[in-house]
């Protein structure tokens, strides 16, 4: 029979081993980046600068993203980016485009922000809520986009089934709590946006 001291020692070693294990997320997530100022130089070039930056599936990798070069510094503070840019965090395997099959019938909730630090805070809160699976309708979520713009920054939460009003309303309500927004926000269908850039929102919360 092992002595008490040996058991204590083995237990402590085991606990240390467990503590060292990375904290697995429910699923894989990918950061994407798009320098919109470059894209807009050519007609119909939307998405030509869209790049996958980094895929991760543990809490540790999320915080220590091995994103190359200067993008690393910006991923948690997108508003510091000097030009028009989009930062995305999407579920692994889903591309942040209307054309992706998971997004094709979807839409997005959008929040605008006039203050740069607000964009960064809302972005970080949303990232943590997504990887921490805070939404009841997690299956409905595609990802989030932070759009850094000179006039007004934007944050958009993309979801899968635009026609499922109940799911979108629940997600919209929850998201407002997470990012601490009191103003009304609107949900647009991608299908409407394809037809008309300034299409009206279909749901409000
Ligand atoms: P946007 O960036 O979603 O709209 O789309 P916004 O907020 O009005 O524009 P911005 O100036 O703040 O960037 C702007 C335009 O980009 C659309 O009208 C499309 O022409 C093109 N576009 C945007 N998205 C998200 C897509 C997409 O997923 N696929 C394609 N093909 N074009 C897109």
């Amino acid at each position: 029979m092992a002595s008490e001291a040996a058991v204590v020692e083995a237990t402590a070693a085991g606990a240390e081993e467990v503590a060292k294990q990375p904290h697995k997320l429910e699923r894989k997530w990918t950061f994407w980046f798009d320098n919109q100022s470059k894209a807009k130089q050519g007609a119909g070039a939307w998405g030509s600068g869209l790049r996958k930056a980094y895929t991760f599936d543990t809490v540790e990798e999320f915080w220590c993203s091995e994103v190359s070069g200067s993008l690393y510094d910006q991923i948690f503070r997108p508003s510091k980016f000097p030009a028009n840019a989009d930062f995305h965090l999407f579920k692994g395997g889903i591309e942040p485009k209307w054309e992706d099959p998971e997004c094709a019938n979807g839409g997005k909730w959008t929040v605008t922000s006039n203050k740069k630090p607000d964009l960064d805070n809302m972005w970080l809160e949303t990232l943590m809520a997504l990887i921490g699976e805070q939404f009841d309708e997690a299956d409905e979520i595609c990802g989030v986009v932070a759009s850094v713009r000179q006039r007004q920054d934007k944050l958009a939460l993309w979801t899968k089934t635009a026609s499922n009003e109940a799911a979108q309303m629940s997600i919209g309500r929850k998201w407002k709590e997470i990012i601490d927004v009191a103003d009304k926000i609107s949900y647009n269908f991608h299908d409407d946006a394809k037809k008309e850039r300034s299409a009206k929102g279909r749901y409000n919360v």
Side-chain angles (χ1 to χ4, degrees):
M1 206 169 97
S3 70
E4 196 178 324
V7 171
V8 170
E9 204 174 300
T11 309
E16 208 173 293
E17 243 354 272
V18 169
K20 267 192 266 170
Q21 303 240 322
H23 297 80
K24 267 269 187 215
L25 300 172
E26 189 71 27
R27 64 184 97 233
K28 279 196 175 132
W29 293 90
T30 301
F31 278 116
W32 298 70
F33 174 72
D34 191 3
N35 187 340
Q36 289 279 358
S37 16
K38 270 192 198 140
K40 277 178 185 157
Q41 285 166 6
W46 185 91
S48 62
L50 185 64
R51 297 277 178 278
K52 235 186 224 184
Y54 180 63
T55 298
F56 61 92
D57 67 357
T58 67
V59 175
E60 287 74 11
E61 290 169 318
F62 167 70
W63 287 114
C64 319
S65 337
E66 287 158 17
V67 176
S68 60
S70 63
L71 190 56
Y72 173 81
D73 300 326
Q74 257 120 16
I75 233 153
F76 296 121
R77 282 183 303 164
S79 79
K80 294 278 187 289
F81 200 81
N84 281 7
D86 286 346
F87 293 79
H88 316 70
L89 179 75
F90 269 60
K91 282 180 181 167
I94 304 185
E95 299 200 354
K97 314 172 165 171
W98 301 332
E99 290 80 359
D100 186 280
E102 292 287 303
C103 304
N105 299 310
K108 62 178 183 183
W109 286 107
T110 305
V111 169
T112 55
S113 156
N114 294 312
K115 285 194 248 149
K116 296 280 171 189
D118 287 354
L119 177 75
D120 295 345
N121 288 336
M122 294 192 297
W123 167 245
L124 189 56
E125 294 294 341
T126 307
L127 298 182
M128 292 193 293
L130 291 181
I131 67 167
E133 305 289 334
Q134 296 291 300
F135 290 91
D136 291 337
E137 295 81 5
D139 286 351
E140 266 295 316
I141 306 267
C142 295
V144 60
V145 187
S147 301
V148 184
R149 299 288 183 269
Q150 229 148 36
R151 288 186 53 191
Q152 198 176 45
D153 296 326
K154 275 177 297 190
L155 199 61
L157 187 64
W158 284 38
T159 65
K160 194 169 148 187
T161 323
S163 58
N164 185 344
E165 180 170 359
Q168 306 324 327
M169 292 299 282
S170 158
I171 289 171
R173 276 190 209 104
K174 178 78 182 180
W175 192 37
K176 280 180 67 169
E177 268 173 46
I178 290 165
I179 56 181
D180 197 17
V181 162
D183 295 343
K184 193 185 80 176
I185 62 171
S186 296
Y187 185 92
N188 287 83
F189 284 34
H190 295 322
D191 264 345
D192 293 345
K194 279 178 212 162
K195 287 178 215 132
E196 193 194 339
R197 194 159 171 172
S198 53
K200 270 188 71 182
R202 299 269 204 122
Y203 314 136
N204 297 300
V205 72

